[in-house]
Amino acid sequence: MAKGRLFAIFGSVVLIFVGYWGIGKLFQGGHGGENFSTAKVTRGDIVKIVSATGTVNPVAMVLIGTQVSGTIKHIYVDFNSPVKKGEMIAEIDPSLFEAQVEQARANVLAARANLKKAEATLTDAGRTLERNKTLFGKDLIARSELEAAETNYQMALANVLAARAQLSQAEAALKSAETNLRYTRIISPVDGVVISRNVDVGQTVAASFQTPTLFTIARDLTKMQINTNVAEADIGKISVGQLVEFTVDAYPEEIFRGKVSQVRLAPINIQNVVTYDVVILVDNPDLKLKPGMTANVSIITAEKRGVLRIPNAALRVTLTRVAAEGQNKPTEGSGVWVLEKGKPKFATLKLGISDGIHTEVVSGLEEGQEVIVETRSKPTTKSGSTLLRFFR
């Protein structure tokens, strides 16, 4: 009985010792109190992008205004109305302008009558002059009478020229009045869709200082453009023809595509932050994109398919000399720590493009190798001692 109890006590001590030793080794590790999280070198795609935001706009918008002042008498279109080139879309009350045209026409008639009168006077003065020349040649009249006839003729000729000028002036005034009358009919200069109407019937518009905008017409909503502001640090990466992917809040799950069509040279300086306008052309056959939508844009500046890549976290790992078993990281070149036979080893790499998550490996690693992406400190043997006390 005593021997059996002694054997049980001895077995318990052995089990506790073995458990203590195993747990201590598990928590202590073999690399200076550190263990590692790793990731494999894989093949995949890397797309390098420049992110920006912009506004969706029609490629061509025409602002329709008025060059005459007056009261809006009729409006023939509304928001979203399709219009054709030459179609009347609104009318300003023409009464005043019709009266001005009639007055101008009367002035033209009066000017023509004055011209006829002046021409008749010129003819009479010419005849008198010729008659006096004949009489003077026969010494029948004095020289003063001949000179008076010549003066009258010159005055009649001047009156004809003045009458012709007045007629031209009256005709020009008539054309101006007729033009203003035509301006009361607001005509669409293009085919398109009305996206904005800024006036109502009965409203008075004044064109004294600047042309008021009555309507905004988009020429073709199946062709849209995005105007984005790209920071000066990224503008050097942008060029015409680059592919673009973007989303809008109205369709968050759908990715739209376009191309960079223009990189404008004019800088935009807001509070000492310099950006540049990059124009992106987009097809909109389904008319899902509406003018004014905010687009979250990704401009693809570089793209690699099926290349070796590593997580960017691997490039940020630093190890102590103890953890790396005496290895020092080289002072030149980029690289990562890899695990070979359970031990970390520094590998110098030649890197390519990065998408912010992965980086291309041009040389220095092979597919399937494990790179260290994180280091974690292990608990000391005190945990084992605590566990031993627990068993006791």
Side-chain angles (χ1 to χ4, degrees), residues 29-32 34-36 38 319 322-325 327 338-345 370 372 378:
H31 299 289
E34 296 188 31
N35 62 356
F36 316 104
T38 62
L319 298 182
V322 176
E325 297 193 352
Q327 293 193 56
V338 299
L339 278 183
E340 289 189 359
K341 299 179 181 180
K343 296 181 180 180
K345 180 181 178 181
E370 291 189 348
I372 297 174
K378 294 181 178 180

Side-chain angles (χ1 to χ4, degrees), residues 148-301:
E150 290 176 346
T151 301
N152 291 335
Y153 177 80
Q154 294 298 328
M155 292 179 60
L157 180 60
N159 289 336
V160 168
L161 295 178
R164 287 175 181 173
Q166 290 174 354
L167 176 59
S168 297
Q169 186 177 8
E171 289 174 342
L174 175 60
K175 289 182 180 179
S176 177
E178 290 175 339
T179 300
N180 287 336
L181 178 61
R182 286 197 300 271
Y183 283 155
T184 62
R185 303 171 73 250
I186 310 301
I187 304 297
S188 173
V190 296
D191 296 342
V193 177
V194 177
I195 62 174
S196 174
R197 176 174 66 82
N198 303 320
V199 291
D200 292 304
V201 173
Q203 182 175 340
T204 299
V205 292
S208 302
F209 301 102
Q210 61 182 7
T211 301
T213 299
L214 309 182
F215 303 91
T216 303
I217 296 179
R219 297 189 64 172
D220 185 3
L221 291 180
T222 63
K223 302 290 184 182
M224 305 291 279
Q225 71 179 29
I226 302 173
N227 295 87
T228 65
N229 291 328
V230 176
E232 61 177 322
D234 296 323
I235 197 64
K237 307 169 188 175
I238 309 300
S239 60
V240 174
Q242 289 175 334
L243 298 178
V244 176
E245 295 182 347
F246 67 95
T247 61
V248 295
D249 292 341
Y251 310 100
E253 304 299 326
E254 186 170 354
I255 296 178
F256 298 89
R257 292 174 174 82
K259 283 187 178 181
V260 175
S261 67
Q262 190 178 47
V263 180
R264 294 180 176 170
L265 300 179
I268 303 170
N269 191 329
I270 301 177
Q271 295 182 350
N272 293 327
V273 176
V274 178
T275 60
Y276 293 85
D277 190 8
V278 176
V279 181
I280 300 164
L281 289 183
V282 180
D283 289 332
N284 187 33
D286 300 328
L287 303 181
K288 288 184 176 181
L289 299 175
K290 306 293 191 293
M293 283 185 170
T294 299
N296 301 306
V297 176
S298 297
I299 303 173
I300 300 174
T301 59

Side-chain angles (χ1 to χ4, degrees), residues 66-106:
T66 175
Q67 292 182 275
V68 296
S69 302
T71 303
I72 300 296
K73 185 177 182 180
H74 297 291
I75 293 179
Y76 302 105
V77 296
D78 204 346
F79 291 91
N80 302 336
S81 296
V83 294
K84 297 292 183 181
K85 182 178 180 179
E87 178 182 349
M88 187 164 68
I89 57 179
E91 183 181 16
I92 295 175
D93 188 357
S95 302
L96 177 62
F97 300 95
E98 290 173 345
Q100 292 174 351
V101 168
E102 293 301 322
Q103 183 178 0
R105 285 175 181 166

